[in-house]
Amino acid sequence: MMTIFGTMTLSIHLAACISWLVRVITNQPHEVEAFLEQLSSNPDAPIDLGSAKGKAEVYVISAYFCTTVFSTVGFGDIVPTNTVERVMAILLMLAGVLIFGNLLSDLADIGHAANAAEVAKLKKVQSALDLMQHQDVPKHLQLAVIDWIRFHH
């Protein structure tokens, strides 16, 4: 579980860094500034890329974008508007992905167990059928025995 969480975190980190790099490379500086002004939690004080707080806020915005895409949650009409809300949304999405993945894994295990039980029952039926055919047991008795095995197995 920790390996999965670590892999997800590393993937989101790399994707967030690449996502921000692509935004900076493919846009003019004034477009990047307009983007940051739009996402700033305080419209009177835009995000300052020269400060550590500004860099952290931009990183969280990029990580939020990547987590939303990776988790397939989508962007919807209710979105976080500041860094703390974005971090909380990231944690909720990651927890949701882990919980949902764990539930799917449990369902797969149940399916495999049911399939294994069915295969074991079919092997028992085939073994009994082979024995009865080898001993020339009448068909009506073979069918009765097979029905009994299927019912009681």
Side-chain angles (χ1 to χ4, degrees):
M1 186 92 135
M2 291 305 290
T3 304
I4 293 170
F5 183 74
T7 303
M8 285 174 39
T9 303
L10 180 62
S11 299
I12 290 169
H13 169 73
L14 291 174
C17 293
I18 292 169
S19 169
W20 182 250
L21 179 64
V22 168
R23 177 168 297 277
V24 170
I25 289 174
T26 61
N27 289 287
Q28 297 297 321
H30 69 279
E31 292 173 322
V32 174
E33 289 173 15
F35 173 75
L36 293 176
E37 284 176 19
Q38 179 185 4
L39 293 176
S40 177
S41 54
N42 182 0
D44 297 330
I47 299 170
D48 177 21
L49 285 175
S51 70
K53 182 181 177 193
K55 289 176 184 173
E57 197 166 348
V58 167
Y59 176 78
V60 170
I61 290 169
S62 295
Y64 170 75
F65 170 75
C66 293
T67 306
T68 303
V69 172
F70 283 5
S71 66
T72 68
V73 169
F75 295 99
D77 61 340
I78 300 174
V79 296
T81 58
N82 60 47
T83 302
V84 175
E85 290 177 358
R86 287 183 188 108
V87 169
M88 186 64 193
I90 289 169
L91 294 174
L92 286 172
M93 285 184 266
L94 291 176
V97 167
L98 289 172
I99 291 168
F100 188 67
N102 203 4
L103 290 174
L104 286 178
S105 173
D106 289 347
L107 284 175
D109 290 344
I110 291 168
H112 287 296
N115 191 30
E118 184 65 26
V119 167
K121 180 170 74 171
L122 290 176
K123 284 182 180 179
K124 194 173 265 192
V125 166
Q126 188 61 47
S127 173
L129 190 56
D130 290 344
L131 176 66
M132 289 185 290
Q133 286 175 346
H134 184 342
Q135 297 296 326
D136 293 327
V137 174
K139 278 282 191 201
H140 72 282
L141 188 55
Q142 287 181 20
L143 292 175
V145 170
I146 296 302
D147 286 342
W148 183 87
I149 292 173
R150 285 185 178 153
F151 180 76
H152 289 294
H153 189 283

